[in-house]
Amino acid sequence: MVKRRVHVAAAAIVSRDSRQVLIARRPSTVDQGGLWEFPGGKLAPYETGFEALKRELHEELGVEIRRAQPLIRVHHEYPDKHILLDVWQVHDFAGEPFGREGQAVRWVPMEELYNYPFPAANLPILRAVMLPTEYLISDEEADDEVFLEKLARALTEDGVRLVQLRAKSLDREAYLARAEKALALCREHGAQLLLNGEPELLEAVDADGIHLTSERLMQLERRPIAEGKWLSASTHDKAQLEQAARIGCDFVTLSPLRTTPSHPEVAPLGWHDFQQLVETAGMPVFALGGMTRYDADHARAVGAQGIASIRDFWK
């Protein structure tokens, strides 16, 4: 049986203080009625995703989009159809949203989104909405004071809110000691900390999640940590992206987008191949490898969650 293909434009409308997102409840008379969703609707013939988004938000919520960026594209298979959710993050709009078609709408704090039942296809969108667009990977630092000074600068001056503690040169005891200090600093600034290492590290330090190397990723058969923690992984090709989806990673880095001084022998993906891989990833993907803040808009335009970097954030 050939499945119907349905292309839907959807909006993650973020409040002006970036703490809440608007969701709408599906009417009880439609498929998956009663569940919550990100507002939007099907594309009309010859419409682009952004054109459909503007029309749908005016019809459903009575608002006019002023500024929006691509957030994530999600392909999802239902028994009777293939759905593509073309999701945009709306940063600025005119008007006060309300349910023009009688549907319930609600502003929900980011941290409470998981308390609402959503269709399965919306789950990657929840992750994308809750994640920032910049992912700091710490560099190797022998001295703890220097490390903490650089981390504090990234958190205060650069506004970084997602950090991966990468310290391959430290033994386990020294790594855990640094992780405790890094976690306290991240908590102070409202940032989240992921540990780069074995999942068992979370038993010693109550960080926000684990980042898997690509080698660890390919050895796993199932998700190794609880759903309440972030699980990310390093990926470099389609097979690793598929494995990340299979074991339930929440997001990944995909690299190298450009040639980097640390791995000059590795052929870069380039923007075209990166976009092709991101299109079917089914989860937020951070562009890694030679990335700077100047690349952020380009990365978002080709489907990335944002950029991950060591050198551009770790000054």
Side-chain angles (χ1 to χ4, degrees):
M1 181 182 70
V2 178
K3 292 184 179 181
R4 290 185 297 126
R5 300 184 69 85
V6 181
H7 190 169
V8 173
I13 305 174
V14 179
S15 62
R16 288 173 176 83
D17 62 5
S18 299
R19 295 179 180 177
Q20 296 181 308
V21 63
L22 189 78
I23 59 175
R25 195 168 195 169
R26 295 177 64 80
S28 58
T29 55
V30 303
D31 184 34
Q32 303 197 67
L35 299 182
W36 292 85
E37 66 178 356
F38 295 92
K42 298 176 186 176
L43 274 65
Y46 310 113
E47 271 188 327
T48 66
F50 187 58
E51 289 169 344
L53 189 75
K54 291 193 292 184
R55 174 182 55 76
E56 287 284 346
L57 294 193
H58 177 71
E59 293 174 357
E60 291 187 13
L61 303 174
V63 299
E64 301 289 341
I65 297 177
R66 287 175 173 166
R67 187 166 63 91
Q69 272 186 309
L71 178 63
I72 191 171
R73 285 165 63 89
V74 180
H75 293 263
H76 191 84
E77 298 289 343
Y78 286 105
D80 61 334
K81 61 190 173 186
H82 174 101
I83 188 168
L84 167 59
L85 287 171
D86 185 1
V87 188
W88 294 69
Q89 188 166 3
V90 177
H91 298 284
D92 191 19
F93 58 91
E96 188 61 37
F98 69 100
R100 292 186 71 182
E101 299 172 344
Q103 76 277 28
V105 297
R106 184 175 297 177
W107 286 104
V108 176
M110 296 285 187
E111 64 273 13
E112 295 181 14
L113 277 173
Y114 280 122
N115 296 335
Y116 291 79
F118 284 83
N122 279 229
L123 296 182
I125 309 173
L126 295 180
R127 297 169 185 146
V129 168
M130 297 172 75
L131 285 167
T133 58
E134 296 176 339
Y135 187 19
L136 162 65
I137 303 170
S138 67
D139 204 357
E140 298 290 340
E141 295 288 350
D143 187 280
D144 265 3
E145 288 189 12
V146 174
F147 168 84
L148 292 172
E149 180 183 335
K150 290 187 175 183
L151 178 57
R153 185 181 301 124
L155 295 170
T156 55
E157 297 179 12
D158 292 339
V160 168
R161 291 296 176 262
L162 185 63
V163 177
Q164 178 196 140
L165 176 56
R166 183 178 182 274
K168 303 293 185 183
S169 60
L170 299 183
D171 61 29
R172 180 182 172 85
E173 184 177 349
Y175 181 89
L176 292 176
R178 178 171 292 185
E180 290 284 8
K181 296 173 185 175
L183 182 61
L185 195 54
C186 286
R187 290 283 184 271
E188 182 182 335
H189 291 86
Q192 300 183 84
L193 179 70
L194 275 67
L195 308 180
N196 184 317
E198 296 293 342
E200 291 73 24
L201 290 173
L202 289 178
E203 297 173 7
V205 178
D206 189 26
D208 299 290
I210 286 290
H211 181 90
L212 304 169
T213 65
S214 55
E215 292 78 17
R216 274 195 195 93
L217 168 68
M218 299 308 288
Q219 293 168 2
L220 292 172
E221 296 182 0
R222 62 183 67 87
R223 183 182 173 96
I225 63 174
E227 292 287 345
K229 300 285 188 179
W230 289 115
L231 180 64
S232 73
S234 297
T235 65
H236 309 290
D237 55 35
K238 184 178 180 180
Q240 292 174 0
L241 283 169
E242 290 174 345
Q243 170 70 352
R246 191 177 300 117
I247 70 164
C249 284
D250 299 306
F251 66 95
V252 296
T253 61
L254 178 58
S255 65
L257 203 146
R258 295 195 179 108
T259 301
T260 61
S262 57
H263 298 91
E265 75 287 353
V266 180
L269 292 167
W271 288 113
H272 177 270
D273 287 355
F274 178 86
Q275 182 175 17
Q276 296 298 307
L277 290 169
V278 169
E279 175 70 22
T280 57
M283 71 188 76
V285 178
F286 285 90
L288 175 63
M291 293 291 96
T292 73
R293 279 202 162 106
Y294 296 106
D295 297 302
D297 286 342
H298 195 161
R300 295 289 297 273
V302 299
Q305 174 73 19
I307 62 164
S309 179
I310 298 175
R311 273 175 291 277
D312 200 50
F313 299 140
W314 198 251
K315 301 182 183 66

